[in-house]
Amino acid sequence: MVSQLRIGYVPEHFSTPLYFAQQYFQLDATLVSFPSGTGHMITALQANEIDVGIGLTEGWVAGLGKQRHEAGFKIVGTYVETPLCWAISTGAKRDLKHVSQLKDSKIGVSRIGSGSYVMSFVLADTKGWLKAPGDPPFDVVPLQTFAKLREAVNDSTADFFMWEHFTSKKYYDNGHIKNIGEIYTPWSSWKIVARDSRDERLEAMFEKIDRGVKYFEEHQSEAVDYVSTHLDYSADDAREWLKTVQFANEVRGVKRKTIDKTIEILSKAGVLDGANTKSSDMIGISRVT
């Protein structure tokens, strides 16, 4: 008997089509939640705790670029076509008001190598704050979870952190943290990776997720109900998010030019050594369109 795939995912609004795939289209998988994000999924893939991960492009590419053949996974699919908006947050009563005040400050991240860590280099690059290649542009404070990041900026363990906009917005609205800026990824935001890109179970998974995406697009009211009752979002925020996101119609495969662009920008930002990093080494299943 073929064993179930173990799929790692982040329990946020982006997981809704995955839920629909399992709920309505018999996606044969165990869904494993990773609230701390992509960096944690990388360690889980390497420890053979999951077979597949659905996470942030920058986290996967940074992990593959640094660990190369020892990374233990490859990119096999495209989950979301639109960029991600990273909100930049600080404590509600902190004096910080502008991104320009963050130079040489302390950034809270979920883990070293996570999207929240990698994007700090991209932010610093846009501001001209980069140091020697590979050196973190801020003092880095790993804090594991979104909840601990929110606490840290209020008790001054960290000065700021970056997290997805709509996930952060509830805490702006209730006054727990405040927004001082945002930055968009220059690439499409979510990719699918697998420990073995030749795993025969992947084809059925792709087909079921495609059906989950189609159902999501055709049942937006149900998507809002699910996001607002099962996840940490208001119905109004869920509706606003729906206006900004486009999932891949076919999730199988990844465009090489997307990974090349990510490598180029992460290399410029000092996250990767672009001269020795090739997209062909990262991609398990490619696609042209």
Side-chain angles (χ1 to χ4, degrees):
M1 183 176 177
V2 178
S3 60
Q4 281 191 327
L5 273 175
R6 301 163 297 170
I7 302 176
Y9 74 102
V10 182
E12 295 177 355
H13 43 337
F14 288 96
S15 66
T16 307
L18 187 65
Y19 166 78
F20 287 158
Q22 189 169 63
Q23 183 76 4
Y24 297 121
F25 304 109
Q26 294 76 54
L27 172 64
D28 189 23
T30 299
L31 302 184
V32 185
S33 173
F34 288 86
S36 58
T38 309
H40 191 184
M41 275 189 274
I42 289 176
T43 61
L45 286 158
Q46 293 167 341
N48 194 21
E49 296 169 355
I50 55 175
D51 305 297
V52 171
I54 302 177
L56 296 175
T57 306
E58 54 268 28
W60 298 136
V61 172
L64 285 161
K66 288 181 177 180
Q67 300 180 45
R68 304 187 188 283
H69 300 296
E70 285 73 46
F73 63 90
K74 289 196 174 186
I75 303 170
V76 297
T78 301
Y79 187 57
V80 176
E81 297 282 11
T82 40
L84 191 76
C85 179
W86 286 89
I88 303 169
S89 305
T90 190
K93 297 180 180 179
R94 301 290 295 276
D95 290 334
L96 296 167
K97 296 180 180 179
H98 306 287
V99 173
S100 59
Q101 297 172 276
L102 298 178
K103 186 177 182 181
D104 297 324
S105 62
K106 293 181 293 183
I107 182 172
V109 303
S110 55
R111 287 173 176 246
I112 302 297
S114 67
S116 58
Y117 172 81
V118 172
M119 285 302 295
S120 71
F121 287 82
V122 179
L123 175 65
D125 185 28
T126 66
K127 299 297 180 182
W129 297 342
L130 288 175
K131 302 177 182 178
D135 286 352
F138 306 99
D139 291 334
V140 179
V141 185
L143 292 162
Q144 308 300 321
T145 66
F146 182 41
K148 290 180 179 177
L149 288 166
R150 299 195 306 270
E151 293 170 8
V153 292
N154 280 305
D155 66 18
S156 297
T157 300
D159 296 313
F160 77 103
F161 70 88
M162 295 191 288
W163 210 258
E164 192 273 333
H165 170 77
F166 285 101
T167 311
S168 306
K169 185 177 180 298
K170 172 181 177 178
Y171 300 94
Y172 301 146
D173 293 345
N174 67 19
H176 187 59
I177 56 176
K178 68 180 178 182
N179 176 274
I180 56 172
E182 61 186 29
I183 182 172
Y184 283 84
T185 60
W187 44 74
S188 56
S189 54
W190 295 76
K191 299 292 178 288
I192 304 170
V193 303
R195 296 185 74 247
D196 181 1
S197 59
R198 297 164 296 182
D199 190 324
E200 294 180 351
R201 297 172 294 177
L202 293 180
E203 296 304 324
M205 179 197 74
F206 293 140
E207 189 265 335
K208 301 296 186 185
I209 295 177
D210 285 347
R211 294 176 73 180
V213 168
K214 190 171 189 294
Y215 187 91
F216 169 89
E217 292 173 344
E218 294 174 349
H219 297 82
Q220 300 266 287
S221 293
E222 185 177 348
V224 169
D225 289 343
Y226 174 75
V227 170
S228 60
T229 57
H230 291 80
L231 302 171
D232 197 17
Y233 306 86
S234 70
D236 285 344
D237 285 349
R239 292 187 194 97
E240 286 302 309
W241 167 67
L242 288 174
K243 298 174 185 177
T244 70
V245 66
Q246 179 185 340
F247 287 88
N249 292 326
E250 294 183 2
V251 300
R252 186 186 190 277
V254 64
K255 299 175 187 174
R256 178 164 292 181
K257 66 179 182 181
T258 300
I259 305 306
D260 285 337
K261 182 176 183 179
T262 309
I263 290 170
E264 177 187 352
I265 294 170
L266 294 185
S267 298
K268 182 173 179 286
V271 177
L272 297 177
D273 175 6
N276 295 300
T277 305
K278 298 179 180 178
S279 60
S280 58
D281 294 332
M282 300 183 179
I283 296 172
I285 301 176
S286 61
R287 73 182 195 193
V288 176
T289 60

